[in-house]
Every structure is written in C-alpha cells, then in structure tokens.
C-alpha cells in the first residue's frame, strides 16, 4: 500500500530530482556547444512532458496504480512480463547516459578513453551489487552540489544576460535543430515522462488529488526554468578567457563546473569532477539494479538466470549504445522511440477502453511494434536517411502494431459471429 503523505511541494521536488540527472546536465551541455541555447531542447521536452503528466495526474492518483500496473491487469501476466522486458530498451539509454557522463569525467582527469570506459563499466557493475541506502543519498547530494556550482558558474562568467534571453535564443536555434529532430526529441522524451513508473510513484504518494496535480505542474514549470541553465553556462563559459576547451562535447558541463570550483580551492576542480563522476556511477548503479529487476520479472518459468548474468547482459547493451558515437540525448531518444513504438498502440487501447476483456493477441501487437520500429531504423540506415531515422522507426512501429491489432480484432469478431448462440 502506498503511503500517501506528500504535499504539492514535496511531489514537485521529487519529480524534479528524478528528472535532473547526468543526461539532463551533460546532454544539454553537449548540444549547447553545437546549437547554443538550442541545447535546452532536452530539458524543454522533459518539462513539457511533466506538464502533460499533470493533465491526468488526478486520474492516476485516484486509480492508485501506475499506468503499467493497469496495463498488466487488463491484458494479463504474459503481456506484463513482455512490457517489463521491453522496459530494458529505454533504461539502457538512460544507463548509457551515465556511462557517457562518468567516462567524460575520467577523461578530464587524464584517463585514456578506452580505460575510462572500461573503468566506468566495472565500477557501475560493482556498485550495483550493493544495496546501500546511504550511498544513494550521497550520490544525490553530489548531484545537488553540482546544481549549486552550476548557478555559481553562471554568475561567475556573467551569464545572467544569456539566461534572461534564453527563450528567444532557443526559438531562433530551432531551425538549426530541424523539425524532424525536434519532433523526435519531443516525442521520445515527453511521452516517456508521461508513462514512466519512476515518475508515477511520486504522483501516487501525494496526500490528495490536488497535491498530485499541483506538484506535477510545479515540477513541469521548474524543469522548464532549469532547462536553460546548463546551455547558458556552457555558452557563457566558452566566451570566457578561462575556458580551456574540451576534447569531447560531452565534457562541456563538467569542464565549466570544474573551472568554477577552482575559485573555492586549488583542489576544487578535482573535487567537483569527483562529485560528478560519483553521481553518474551512483545513478548508473541504481538504473542497472532496476534493469536486473525488470529482466528477472520477465523471465519465464523455464529459465532462471543469475542476477550477475542479468546485470552483465544489461550493462553490455548499454555499453554498446555508448560505442555508437551518438550524442547523449540522441542515444536516449533513439531507444525511447523503440519502446514507445512497441507499446504505444496497446497503451492507447488501454486508456481508450473501459472494457476489462483480455485480448489474447496483445503480445503479437507489441511484438509487431517492436519489430517494425527496429526495421524502421534499419531502413533509415540503408537509405542513408539523415536525421529522420527516429521518426521513421516510430512511424513503422506504430503502423505495424496498428495493422496487427486491427487484423486480430477482425479475426476475433468473425470468430464470435460464427460461434453458435446458446439456446
């Protein structure tokens, strides 16, 4: 039973903390080196997704169960296990962001690239083997400390004017991002915020319906304000005489924070990098544990893999994503869209229908969505599509799932029509 005690401000604080992580920080900074204030697009998509979640936060709170629990209740345990398995897809993108982040920090500490990646993977695997509550608090404190230094870094390089003019600069930067890519990020990030059980847990813990709605809306507005902070710091820092450049755009934010932290102590830069690295490792370990839990829940009765084997498999998938060479945001969006394409049609049917009838073919619908989205990515790669691969994967996945669901529905109706009536 969920303990419903959180007020609106507490709900908002927890939702913001769940959103403000390495992907948010480092991914926005990486984009900022190329796109200026256009780097805020990931944070903007997160904030808009949170505001969309606020629109049905009241119904979610009243139902007392998150969307995916309702999904399993409606379509049966087999579908629930499949959805748990597919959740590995989007979580692998989040874990890849943590690997990117910790690797970028280690490279700033002059660790060679190959050793930095290997050390990050090993440390995340090791940390995931321990369930230490105090460690999660410490890692969160490191991330909170980086937020304080981020604000100081903005003031230090006279970036307040850049931050105040962030919105029009962001709008001006949108054409350089491109309509297709902007839509892919908006859908891939925003929809995942709406459907993520990690966000729903805080909505469900609100003391009443009003607190759930207000807290979620407050979090959305807070994230929209925070979205401009990392790119503003990077843009202002690059123009500063103290900027020494970076080897990799993923290092932009940790470099800016390291330079700012040196004002407090000669060792401040190294301490700041250590805090960021620990935050990435801690977040990575927590995500890896969640992936192992999802894989364990998805295991059929005939198989029973050991947790360490599951962890290595999950970590291997995320590591492969980091080796793709994509930016942090692109890495997360690409796998988010595969997940959304896989389950989107079934989710829409769940939210649209009030019937408790189990559809025995829902596994085929989800499977068709997954295969279609992967085929869409392959098609984009073969045809040399630039920038449209994500939306192609989403469109082909949703189309495949819709066709299969329609065909199964027609088959079921024909079967019922042919069945002799009682009496």
């Amino acid at each position: 039973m969920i303990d419903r005690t959180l007020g609106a401000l507490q709900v908002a604080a927890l939702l913001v903390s769940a959103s403000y992580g390495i992907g948010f920080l480092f991914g926005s900074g990486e984009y900022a080196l190329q796109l200026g204030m256009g780097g805020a697009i990931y944070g903007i998509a997160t904030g808009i997704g949170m505001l969309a979640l606020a629109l049905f936060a009241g119904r979610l709170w009243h139902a007392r169960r998150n969307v995916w629990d309702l999904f399993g209740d409606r379509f049966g345990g087999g579908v629930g296990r499949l959805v748990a398995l597919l959740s590995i897809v989007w979580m692998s993108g989040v874990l890849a962001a943590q690997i990117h982040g910790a690797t970028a920090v280690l490279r700033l500490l002059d660790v060679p690239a190959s050793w930095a990646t290997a050390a990050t993977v090993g440390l995340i695997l090791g940390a995931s083997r321990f369930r230490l509550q105090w460690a999660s608090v410490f890692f969160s404190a490191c991330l909170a400390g980086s937020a304080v230094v981020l604000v100081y870094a903005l003031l230090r390089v006279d970036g307040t004017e850049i931050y105040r003019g962030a919105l029009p600069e962001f709008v001006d930067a949108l054409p350089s991002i491109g309509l297709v890519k902007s839509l892919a990020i908006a859908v891939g990030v925003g929809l995942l915020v709406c459907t993520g059980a990690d966000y729903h847990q805080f909505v469900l813990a609100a003391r009443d319906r009003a607190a759930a709605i207000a807290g979620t809306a407050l979090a959305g507005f807070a994230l929209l304000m925070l979205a401009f902070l990392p790119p503003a710091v990077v843009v202002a820092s690059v123009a500063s005489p103290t900027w020494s450049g970076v080897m990799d755009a993923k290092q932009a934010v940790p470099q800016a924070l390291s330079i700012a932290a040196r004002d407090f102590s000669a060792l401040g830069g190294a301490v700041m990098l250590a805090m960021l690295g620990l935050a990435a490792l801690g977040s990575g370990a927590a995500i890896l544990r969640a992936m192992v839990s999802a894989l364990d829940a998805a295991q059929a009765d005939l198989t029973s893999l050991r947790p360490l084997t599951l962890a290595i498999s999950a970590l291997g998938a995320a590591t492969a994503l980091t080796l793709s060479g994509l930016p942090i945001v692109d890495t997360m969006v690409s796998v988010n869209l595969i997940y959304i394409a896989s389950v989107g049609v079934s989710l829409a049917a769940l939210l649209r229908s009030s019937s408790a009838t189990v559809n025995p073919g829902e596994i085929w619908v989800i499977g068709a969505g997954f295969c279609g989205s992967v085929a869409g990515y392959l098609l984009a790669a073969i045809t040399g599509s630039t920038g449209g691969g994500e939306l192609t994967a989403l469109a082909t996945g949703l189309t495949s799932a819709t066709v299969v669901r329609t065909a199964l529905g027609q088959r079921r109706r024909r079967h019922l029509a042919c069945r002799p009536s009682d009496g």
Side-chain angles (χ1 to χ4, degrees):
M1 180 66 68
I2 298 172
D3 186 14
R4 299 188 151 195
T5 59
L6 301 180
L9 290 178
Q10 292 170 303
V11 171
L14 289 167
L15 286 171
V16 170
S17 66
S19 307
Y20 179 85
I22 296 298
F24 192 106
L25 266 177
F26 289 21
S28 298
E30 180 182 19
Y31 263 10
L33 278 185
Q34 177 187 356
L35 302 169
M37 289 310 300
I41 189 168
Y42 177 82
I44 293 293
T46 305
I48 292 174
M50 196 66 69
L51 291 176
L53 176 59
L55 295 178
F56 62 91
R59 280 179 289 167
L60 189 66
W61 182 89
H62 190 266
R64 294 177 176 266
R65 292 172 69 75
N66 67 57
V67 168
W68 297 117
D69 287 333
L70 297 173
F71 198 99
D73 292 344
R74 177 70 56 82
F75 296 121
V79 175
R81 286 192 295 272
L82 179 58
V83 171
L85 181 61
L86 285 173
S87 67
I88 300 302
V89 174
W90 71 263
M91 283 194 280
S92 65
V94 180
L95 179 55
Q98 314 311 310
I99 296 173
H100 272 311
T103 300
V105 169
L106 287 174
R107 291 187 66 191
L108 281 174
L109 293 171
D110 296 327
V111 178
S114 57
W115 284 102
T117 302
T120 296
V121 171
L123 289 169
I124 288 176
L125 179 62
S128 71
R129 305 294 294 164
F130 300 95
R131 293 183 175 272
L132 301 177
Q133 294 299 322
W134 64 265
S136 64
V137 175
F138 176 73
F139 294 140
S140 298
C142 288
L143 201 57
S146 73
V148 174
V149 178
L150 192 69
V151 174
Y152 171 75
L154 184 71
L155 298 174
R156 177 183 180 275
V157 292
D158 298 324
T160 52
E161 286 298 323
I162 293 176
Y163 181 79
R164 280 198 287 267
L167 183 57
E169 289 293 328
F170 171 74
V171 173
D172 290 341
L174 284 176
S176 62
I177 301 173
L179 177 61
V180 170
K181 190 162 192 169
S182 298
L183 284 174
I185 294 173
V187 173
V189 176
L191 281 183
L192 202 66
V193 171
C194 290
T195 59
D198 47 343
Y199 297 108
H200 293 173
Q201 62 179 323
F202 304 125
V203 176
L204 296 175
R207 68 164 63 104
D208 53 37
R209 185 175 182 274
I213 297 172
T216 309
L218 281 173
F221 288 117
L223 287 167
L224 290 176
M225 298 294 291
L226 286 172
F228 297 110
L229 191 54
V233 168
V234 170
V235 170
S237 296
V238 168
S240 170
T242 58
W243 182 254
S244 55
V246 290
M247 297 178 291
D248 185 343
K250 297 176 180 66
Q251 298 171 328
V253 165
Q255 175 77 304
L257 295 184
S258 174
I259 292 172
R262 290 175 199 159
D263 290 352
F264 300 98
S265 165
L267 296 176
V271 171
M272 186 71 256
L273 291 175
M275 290 174 63
L276 290 169
L278 287 171
L281 292 173
S283 297
I287 295 161
L288 183 56
R289 284 197 296 270
M291 293 174 75
V292 170
S293 296
L295 283 171
D296 189 53
Q299 288 188 90
D301 295 335
L302 297 177
T303 63
S304 182
L305 297 177
R306 295 171 62 86
L308 181 58
T309 303
L310 297 176
I312 292 173
S313 300
L315 195 54
T319 304
L321 282 174
T322 66
L323 299 178
S324 67
L326 291 173
I328 291 174
V329 172
D330 291 1
T331 300
M332 292 189 290
V333 168
S334 65
V335 289
N336 285 0
L337 288 175
I338 290 178
Y339 180 68
I340 291 167
S342 302
V343 303
V345 171
S346 297
L347 176 60
L350 168 69
L351 297 177
R352 185 178 64 247
S353 172
S354 60
S355 171
T357 302
V358 174
N359 183 353
E362 208 64 42
I363 285 179
W364 293 103
V365 177
I366 296 173
F370 175 79
C371 293
S373 62
V374 173
Y377 270 115
L378 293 176
L379 177 64
I382 292 171
T383 58
S385 173
T386 56
E390 292 91 349
L391 288 187
T392 300
L394 180 64
T396 53
L398 293 177
T399 300
S400 300
T402 300
V403 169
V404 170
R405 190 167 224 285
T406 302
L408 288 173
Q410 291 175 345
R411 179 182 176 185
R412 189 162 183 252
R413 284 191 292 272
R414 285 197 300 268
H415 176 73
L416 292 174
C418 294
R419 216 166 61 180
S421 60
D422 296 335

